[in-house]
Amino acid sequence: MGLDFTAIDFETANGFRGSPCAVGLSKVRGGVVVEEASWLMRPPENHDRFDHHNVRIHGIRPEQVAGLPRFGELFPEIGAFIGGDVLAAHNAAFDLGVIRSGLEVSGLPGPAYDYVCTVMLSRRCYSLVSNSLPYAAEEAGVPLLNHHDAAEDARACAGILIDIAARNGAGSIAELFLSLGLAVSRQPAFDPLRDPLSKPSRSALDAIAAGVAAPAGRAFQPGWPDEGANPAPNAAAAPDHPLYGQTVVFTGELAIPRPEAKIRSAELGARPESRVTARTTVLVVGDGFVAADLRSGRLTGKARRVLELHERGRRIEVLSEGEFLQMLGGHLASAALA
């Protein structure tokens, strides 16, 4: 077997991961991109509200998808392109979650997929202060010119995986994961008419039934944020989640209360703490921070401390709040960042 897989990237209309409005795919055979595909689409019915924050990120407006097939109608073509390939995505838990939630709220079954996450692989194989897609793509030698264009993001994800395999002398996904002591993840097949719904889908459907709109985030509140308690990590969390086993510190004003952010990260197997120490592996930065700010210098004191530690060889990753929320699979609009 050669290095064969399909890289995938979704953009969403709002903070619910089951609201895909665009997808990009890059098919790789023998370590070379051989075919690409991309579609715009209407999100599933009742989940097709376009939030301003998401539109600002990816530039897709509701009028651009008006009259196009909905995700459920288009998925047979998407699935046919993927075939039986292993899927690769940058923060794969989100993109695989888009498939699951998008099909669940469309009332459609979904196939099983083996998948790999290039965020996890970037953490393992690179030494970057941020493993966001533009930084990892630059390290892989495939600079990303138009981040949040689904086709370009999928192509960049493919390039990252190809580069990491080459650096490890691996000729296949199986060989790469064996050399790293990792296991390829799997999303099982599901049928929403038979199987329990995923938590994000259930929450979204419950909110619609109750007539409650998804939260748009809270207004800025000056003053020192309430840290709250530091809950213990959930030992039963999925070990293939990008937050599992990480020690997470939060800085800056977040769109969700910091105690809630700590609880939700702990549910996914992370250990939240209140200050940067020798144990810290991830710093989540609020205040509208994006990865590009690492170069511009618009940083909090904690973020500056992380950069200093990183220069001394400490491997601490900086996440924007949008990237963090995407990892949570939550319902805030800022979760659309990739």
Side-chain angles (χ1 to χ4, degrees):
M1 291 181 62
L3 185 63
D4 301 343
F5 63 91
T6 292
I8 189 168
D9 180 81
F10 282 102
E11 300 297 331
T12 55
N14 55 68
F16 172 45
R17 68 185 192 182
S19 65
C21 59
V23 64
L25 301 119
S26 288
K27 186 174 288 292
V28 173
R29 290 291 179 267
V32 177
V33 175
V34 296
E35 188 178 0
E36 295 182 323
S38 63
W39 289 273
L40 292 177
M41 68 197 76
R42 280 191 297 165
E45 190 174 2
N46 298 321
H47 303 278
D48 50 6
R49 182 190 75 258
F50 277 72
D51 287 344
H52 170 75
H53 184 84
N54 294 59
V55 172
R56 184 174 59 83
I57 291 167
H58 52 57
I60 302 168
R61 299 184 175 277
E63 57 267 24
Q64 292 176 255
V65 303
L68 294 180
R70 292 194 185 274
F71 172 70
E73 299 171 284
L74 193 58
F75 188 76
E77 291 185 64
I78 298 171
F81 186 95
I82 298 169
D85 280 3
V86 173
L87 282 174
H90 206 70
N91 189 18
F94 173 78
D95 293 279
L96 271 292
V98 171
I99 293 175
R100 174 145 192 167
S101 286
L103 291 176
E104 283 178 332
V105 297
S106 301
L108 298 171
Y113 287 114
D114 291 331
Y115 66 91
V116 299
C117 178
T118 50
V119 169
M120 301 284 283
L121 291 172
S122 176
R123 284 177 177 169
R124 178 67 69 96
C125 300
Y126 298 153
S127 181
L128 304 174
V129 70
S130 170
N131 289 293
S132 66
L133 188 60
Y135 274 72
E138 182 179 16
E139 177 69 15
V142 286
L144 185 57
L145 301 178
N146 190 18
H147 188 24
H148 296 298
D149 175 273
E152 287 205 30
D153 285 1
R155 189 182 307 128
C157 174
I160 292 165
L161 184 48
I162 291 168
D163 178 67
I164 287 174
R167 292 189 188 204
N168 286 273
S172 68
I173 298 290
E175 192 175 325
L176 172 63
F177 273 65
L178 182 63
S179 70
L180 296 175
L182 301 173
V184 173
S185 301
R186 185 172 179 84
Q187 176 165 280
F190 60 89
D191 185 339
L193 301 180
R194 182 191 65 224
D195 302 319
L197 296 179
S198 61
K199 184 177 179 180
S201 297
R202 188 170 64 250
S203 298
L205 291 171
D206 287 347
I208 289 173
V212 178
R218 58 181 183 147
F220 175 77
Q221 298 174 353
W224 197 263
D226 175 22
E227 282 285 343
N230 292 315
N234 174 16
D240 62 345
H241 192 278
L243 290 176
Y244 183 87
Q246 304 296 321
T247 299
V248 182
V249 175
F250 299 89
T251 184
E253 187 73 17
L254 305 178
I256 60 175
R258 196 171 291 183
E260 180 184 346
K262 290 185 172 186
I263 291 170
R264 293 174 70 179
S265 61
E267 289 174 349
L268 294 168
R271 181 178 298 280
E273 294 190 342
S274 299
R275 61 189 181 91
V276 175
T277 69
R279 295 183 298 272
T280 307
T281 59
V282 172
L283 179 72
V284 178
V285 184
D287 295 327
F289 165 85
V290 294
D293 291 336
L294 291 169
R295 292 192 175 103
S296 70
R298 194 181 72 83
L299 300 171
T300 67
K302 286 181 183 177
R304 289 192 185 93
R305 172 67 174 153
V306 165
L307 286 178
E308 292 170 2
L309 292 172
H310 200 270
E311 289 174 358
R312 298 176 192 172
R314 287 282 309 285
R315 298 187 69 170
I316 302 177
E317 179 183 1
V318 179
L319 290 179
S320 69
E321 185 185 10
E323 292 166 323
F324 170 72
L325 288 171
Q326 187 193 64
M327 290 178 180
L328 296 185
H331 302 281
L332 293 177
S334 49
L337 285 166

